[in-house]
Structures are given as C-alpha cells and as structure tokens.
Amino acid sequence: MNRIRIILDEKGIKQTWLAEKLNKSYNMVNSYVTNKRQPSVDVLYQIAELLNISVKDLLTDNQELNADN
C-alpha cells in the first residue's frame, strides 16, 4: 500500500488539495498515490512538510514490503 495514500486517508486530506499545494496536476499526484510514478526527493520533502510528518513516514521499509508478500 502506498504511504502517501494511507497518510492522506488518515488525515482526511484529498489528493486535489495536495496537488494544489504542490503546484502539480491532480493526475501527477494521483500517479504518486497509485505508485505509477515516484516523486522526486524534493517533492517527497514537500509532501512531508505539507502533511506535517517526517519523510521517513512516507518511505516503506524493505522488511515491511517483504513481510506483506
């Protein structure tokens, strides 16, 4: 599961809000949320700041990935 999607859901924030704040299209943000594209490191930091979380909270540990499979 995508961490951006999880955190947006937990905070009740819409992708459209995030897109507006990042000055990106909804389609671009949706591609981040659906794992079709990965945000650059700079954008990842922007997302973390906007969501008031640590960048680490947006990254999934490889061990977590392996445990899910």
Side-chain angles (χ1 to χ4, degrees):
M1 186 90 175
N2 184 289
R3 295 291 304 150
I4 298 171
R5 173 178 283 180
I6 291 168
I7 293 167
L8 288 175
D9 288 347
E10 286 175 355
K11 292 183 174 276
I13 296 173
K14 302 284 185 193
Q15 292 179 41
T16 50
W17 177 88
L18 185 59
E20 182 180 309
K21 295 296 182 185
L22 291 171
N23 200 28
K24 304 268 184 206
S25 70
Y26 169 82
N27 289 336
M28 179 62 74
V29 170
N30 184 259
S31 69
Y32 298 154
V33 170
T34 58
N35 287 329
K36 293 178 183 169
R37 293 190 71 171
Q38 296 301 313
S40 69
V41 172
D42 289 339
V43 172
L44 198 64
Y45 273 91
Q46 288 177 323
I47 292 169
E49 185 174 323
L50 288 167
L51 297 177
N52 197 29
I53 59 171
S54 166
V55 172
K56 288 177 66 175
D57 292 336
L58 293 173
L59 302 174
T60 304
D61 189 328
N62 284 339
Q63 290 177 339
E64 289 178 32
L65 288 174
N66 291 334
D68 289 342
N69 291 330

